[in-house]
Amino acid sequence: MKSIFRKIALSFLSVPVVGTVPLAVVSCANQFHDIRNDLETTDLGYVSDLSSETIFKVFLDKNPKVNKEALPKYLSVYGDSRQATIDIFSVYYKRATIKITYYSKLDFDQTNQKDYQLTKENNQFVISFRILDDTYDENVDPKITWFVYNNYGDDILSNLIEFSYQIDKVEKSYQVIVLLNENANYSLNASGRIEFLYWAKGLEISNGSVLANINLKVEI
């Protein structure tokens, strides 16, 4: 009897195991590549504007080993006038966050970041952006634009302020003037923030790094 049971046990042990679950899981995990292995540099150097579209294009140009066909046409870039992050995701590359650096013709000194206030007595202030390249031409290069985010979901702040700009070539400064609307003659408080953007016109997607981001409170 013992010899019979031994033969049966040996016959089961000799049957090959095919397609086990652990092997399938490992195989699936191995199909994703790490984009960091394909990067040559994360310092992009000069970019003509701070839009996601432009920065991502330069990122791909500087890293020719990256599988462009495996990525979306554009990936969102989030940052400021000098640095940003790109969130990588695709069916080829595993998810990753890549930190990048760059520079453009305009720059904002982040140490000047502060909260601003407008009142009847102090009805305007100036945000200065440095012109890093003497070849900057407002008729050729992008101009600074802005977007107002109103607190509490209303448009009160947007309706209370106006914008203008001037360029000081001696000081190499692009100055955006934020002033109280001359028609704001009633007592009202409002607050929110303003994003200043340096993006080219005619973009397929409207997002990118923000040149400057300030908080603003109006009390009249």
Side-chain angles (χ1 to χ4, degrees), residues 79 81 158 182 187:
S81 59
S158 303
E182 61 180 10
S187 298

PDB file of all heavy atoms in Angstrom, residues 79 81 158 182 187:
ATOM      1  N   GLY A  79       3.977  75.231 -12.023  1.00  0.00           N
ATOM      2  CA  GLY A  79       5.141  75.818 -11.398  1.00  0.00           C
ATOM      3  C   GLY A  79       5.125  77.329 -11.472  1.00  0.00           C
ATOM      4  O   GLY A  79       4.072  77.959 -11.594  1.00  0.00           O
ATOM      5  N   SER A  81       8.034  80.916 -12.481  1.00  0.00           N
ATOM      6  CA  SER A  81       8.844  81.422 -13.591  1.00  0.00           C
ATOM      7  C   SER A  81      10.185  80.711 -13.734  1.00  0.00           C
ATOM      8  O   SER A  81      10.917  80.972 -14.697  1.00  0.00           O
ATOM      9  CB  SER A  81       9.078  82.925 -13.420  1.00  0.00           C
ATOM     10  OG  SER A  81       9.745  83.199 -12.199  1.00  0.00           O
ATOM     11  N   SER A 158     -13.437  91.190  -9.392  1.00  0.00           N
ATOM     12  CA  SER A 158     -13.148  91.437 -10.809  1.00  0.00           C
ATOM     13  C   SER A 158     -13.710  92.773 -11.267  1.00  0.00           C
ATOM     14  O   SER A 158     -13.086  93.471 -12.089  1.00  0.00           O
ATOM     15  CB  SER A 158     -13.733  90.313 -11.666  1.00  0.00           C
ATOM     16  OG  SER A 158     -13.237  89.060 -11.280  1.00  0.00           O
ATOM     17  N   GLU A 182     -12.464 103.348 -11.149  1.00  0.00           N
ATOM     18  CA  GLU A 182     -12.918 104.707 -10.819  1.00  0.00           C
ATOM     19  C   GLU A 182     -14.419 104.785 -10.581  1.00  0.00           C
ATOM     20  O   GLU A 182     -14.916 105.730  -9.971  1.00  0.00           O
ATOM     21  CB  GLU A 182     -12.530 105.669 -11.934  1.00  0.00           C
ATOM     22  CG  GLU A 182     -13.143 105.333 -13.292  1.00  0.00           C
ATOM     23  CD  GLU A 182     -12.731 106.305 -14.376  1.00  0.00           C
ATOM     24  OE1 GLU A 182     -11.834 107.127 -14.132  1.00  0.00           O
ATOM     25  OE2 GLU A 182     -13.337 106.226 -15.468  1.00  0.00           O
ATOM     26  N   SER A 187     -19.579 101.550  -0.771  1.00  0.00           N
ATOM     27  CA  SER A 187     -18.839 100.841   0.277  1.00  0.00           C
ATOM     28  C   SER A 187     -18.958  99.341   0.060  1.00  0.00           C
ATOM     29  O   SER A 187     -20.071  98.805  -0.018  1.00  0.00           O
ATOM     30  CB  SER A 187     -19.387 101.222   1.655  1.00  0.00           C
ATOM     31  OG  SER A 187     -19.202 102.600   1.882  1.00  0.00           O
TER      32      SER A 187
END
